[in-house]
Amino acid sequence: MAFSNRIKLIKPSSTMALTSKANEMRLQGEDVLVLTVGEPDFDTPQYIKDAAKKAIDSGATKYTSVDGTPELKEAIINKFKNENELSFEPNEIIVSAGCKQSIFNMLQVLIDDGDEVVIPQPYWVSYADMVVYAGGKPIMLKTTYENNFNISISQLKECLSDKTKLLMINSPNNPSGKYFDSKTLSNISEVLLSTENIYISSDDIYEHIHWHNEKFHNILNVSPDLKERAIILNGVSKAYSMTGWRIGYAAGNSEIIKKMKTLQSQSTSCASSISQAAACAALSSECKELPNMRAEYKKRHDFVVKQLNQIKGVLCKETDGTFYVFPSFKEYIQNSELSNDNDLAMKLLNEAKVAVVPGSAFGMNGHVRLSIAIDMKSLENAMTRIKSVLS
Ligand code: GLU
């Protein structure tokens, strides 16, 4: 097959691939516990589903504007105003089929062949491949477990060159659960403001799954001067348990948004009209379920962190948010017959029947990512199995 050179450069998303593999095993009758994908196990709240049903019944079943319905864009603008104290105009907002599509489109619009994109490592699985697909070069800003996944500002400076186009921040971070607090963000913005044309993207998708003692801040909260260079990325999937509805959005410089709109007009046209109506409801009323979901994630987090730390050779930090934990198995692997985190993930899948994602998918060998967006009973079961296979 004569495929494009571009597609040969990237691999399937590990989170998606491992989840399909685990689900296939389940279909074949194997009792696999799936801790791979970051997908809330809670049902979408009823008021959101009702809004979708209403949209169907009232005939809101056609194409919408490429950048989203006026109602949803207004709801997003109000969300930014009320929750983030940020103000945006309608031409600074675009709705996409998931935060993932907004990230992809942003990169296609900004990145040229050879442009460098700085990404704190560990990073969400698709960041590096999306950059490569856009023709860019990912430059890894390494963080370490030992240093609590903190970004070192001197290292950030070393990552910058005259080819740097963009810095991609994701906080709270998938997979480490690290929240970059306002002090860190202000140090980052100081570096960016000392340059002229480096853009910054802030992936805020885990904004509401956050238990750090500081209220959630993104880079624009601490540095409004970056407004022309910042792209805020978010969506309803994680907070409102709406992964399948596929609604995300981007907010930023109207010129960038306009180009993302051009790209979207030539690719997917618009996000689903019905899902947009549902997302509008999600953002427009108080979601009573949200605090309960967050409290439940925190309870699961506390349990899993404690359990994992009981295994010899395993270290698991408490996170600041998200529904992942990202323990280090380095010592365990060193003292075993395993060569790396991929072997470990295979062992857990084959022997414990627990599916997890190897840390190397996120750029950090020796770790694995466990999603805790699964009910407590399954999680207890998963911990019992992991402990028994690894002891
Ligand atoms: N963001 C989720 C994860 O990391 C969803 C899967 C994906 O799109 O990669 O598991």
mmCIF file of all heavy atoms in Angstrom, residues 141 152-161 191:
data_model
loop_
_atom_site.group_PDB
_atom_site.id
_atom_site.type_symbol
_atom_site.label_atom_id
_atom_site.label_comp_id
_atom_site.label_asym_id
_atom_site.label_seq_id
_atom_site.Cartn_x
_atom_site.Cartn_y
_atom_site.Cartn_z
ATOM 1 N N LEU A 141 10.508 18.281 27.744
ATOM 2 C CA LEU A 141 10.934 18.949 28.968
ATOM 3 C C LEU A 141 10.721 17.918 30.078
ATOM 4 O O LEU A 141 9.602 17.720 30.570
ATOM 5 C CB LEU A 141 10.078 20.206 29.175
ATOM 6 C CG LEU A 141 10.144 20.929 30.499
ATOM 7 C CD1 LEU A 141 11.566 21.278 30.883
ATOM 8 C CD2 LEU A 141 9.293 22.199 30.446
ATOM 9 N N SER A 152 11.253 22.314 35.745
ATOM 10 C CA SER A 152 12.396 23.146 36.113
ATOM 11 C C SER A 152 12.504 24.277 35.088
ATOM 12 O O SER A 152 12.541 24.042 33.878
ATOM 13 C CB SER A 152 13.668 22.290 36.143
ATOM 14 O OG SER A 152 14.743 22.981 35.553
ATOM 15 N N ILE A 153 12.530 25.499 35.594
ATOM 16 C CA ILE A 153 12.526 26.659 34.694
ATOM 17 C C ILE A 153 13.840 26.748 33.921
ATOM 18 O O ILE A 153 13.846 27.100 32.732
ATOM 19 C CB ILE A 153 12.225 27.954 35.493
ATOM 20 C CG1 ILE A 153 10.797 27.870 36.058
ATOM 21 C CG2 ILE A 153 12.393 29.204 34.643
ATOM 22 C CD1 ILE A 153 9.684 27.713 35.030
ATOM 23 N N SER A 154 14.952 26.361 34.572
ATOM 24 C CA SER A 154 16.218 26.409 33.822
ATOM 25 C C SER A 154 16.184 25.375 32.692
ATOM 26 O O SER A 154 16.658 25.626 31.587
ATOM 27 C CB SER A 154 17.413 26.200 34.748
ATOM 28 O OG SER A 154 17.284 24.956 35.373
ATOM 29 N N GLN A 155 15.567 24.237 32.949
ATOM 30 C CA GLN A 155 15.437 23.225 31.889
ATOM 31 C C GLN A 155 14.517 23.709 30.778
ATOM 32 O O GLN A 155 14.767 23.455 29.603
ATOM 33 C CB GLN A 155 14.834 21.965 32.487
ATOM 34 C CG GLN A 155 15.753 20.768 32.421
ATOM 35 C CD GLN A 155 15.105 19.643 33.186
ATOM 36 O OE1 GLN A 155 14.980 19.716 34.413
ATOM 37 N NE2 GLN A 155 14.657 18.642 32.487
ATOM 38 N N LEU A 156 13.464 24.417 31.176
ATOM 39 C CA LEU A 156 12.554 24.972 30.158
ATOM 40 C C LEU A 156 13.331 25.901 29.231
ATOM 41 O O LEU A 156 13.220 25.822 28.010
ATOM 42 C CB LEU A 156 11.387 25.719 30.830
ATOM 43 C CG LEU A 156 10.511 26.578 29.914
ATOM 44 C CD1 LEU A 156 9.814 25.715 28.845
ATOM 45 C CD2 LEU A 156 9.441 27.345 30.705
ATOM 46 N N LYS A 157 14.166 26.743 29.837
ATOM 47 C CA LYS A 157 14.960 27.686 29.025
ATOM 48 C C LYS A 157 15.863 26.922 28.052
ATOM 49 O O LYS A 157 16.027 27.315 26.907
ATOM 50 C CB LYS A 157 15.796 28.595 29.918
ATOM 51 C CG LYS A 157 14.946 29.642 30.633
ATOM 52 C CD LYS A 157 15.826 30.525 31.470
ATOM 53 C CE LYS A 157 15.005 31.498 32.303
ATOM 54 N NZ LYS A 157 15.738 32.008 33.454
ATOM 55 N N GLU A 158 16.439 25.824 28.555
ATOM 56 C CA GLU A 158 17.335 25.027 27.689
ATOM 57 C C GLU A 158 16.584 24.394 26.518
ATOM 58 O O GLU A 158 17.170 24.110 25.475
ATOM 59 C CB GLU A 158 18.013 23.914 28.499
ATOM 60 C CG GLU A 158 19.190 24.409 29.309
ATOM 61 C CD GLU A 158 19.604 23.397 30.377
ATOM 62 O OE1 GLU A 158 19.375 22.188 30.186
ATOM 63 O OE2 GLU A 158 20.119 23.845 31.421
ATOM 64 N N CYS A 159 15.299 24.146 26.704
ATOM 65 C CA CYS A 159 14.501 23.515 25.627
ATOM 66 C C CYS A 159 14.161 24.502 24.516
ATOM 67 O O CYS A 159 13.740 24.102 23.438
ATOM 68 C CB CYS A 159 13.197 22.971 26.189
ATOM 69 S SG CYS A 159 13.405 21.503 27.177
ATOM 70 N N LEU A 160 14.278 25.791 24.798
ATOM 71 C CA LEU A 160 13.852 26.788 23.810
ATOM 72 C C LEU A 160 14.953 27.060 22.799
ATOM 73 O O LEU A 160 16.135 27.061 23.126
ATOM 74 C CB LEU A 160 13.463 28.096 24.497
ATOM 75 C CG LEU A 160 12.369 28.006 25.565
ATOM 76 C CD1 LEU A 160 12.031 29.395 26.096
ATOM 77 C CD2 LEU A 160 11.110 27.329 25.032
ATOM 78 N N SER A 161 14.535 27.299 21.552
ATOM 79 C CA SER A 161 15.502 27.668 20.514
ATOM 80 C C SER A 161 14.788 28.634 19.568
ATOM 81 O O SER A 161 13.604 28.941 19.776
ATOM 82 C CB SER A 161 15.951 26.429 19.736
ATOM 83 O OG SER A 161 14.942 26.060 18.815
ATOM 84 N N VAL A 191 9.202 33.376 31.430
ATOM 85 C CA VAL A 191 10.104 32.914 30.360
ATOM 86 C C VAL A 191 9.485 33.218 29.000
ATOM 87 O O VAL A 191 10.139 33.747 28.098
ATOM 88 C CB VAL A 191 10.372 31.380 30.491
ATOM 89 C CG1 VAL A 191 11.213 30.876 29.323
ATOM 90 C CG2 VAL A 191 11.040 31.059 31.812
#
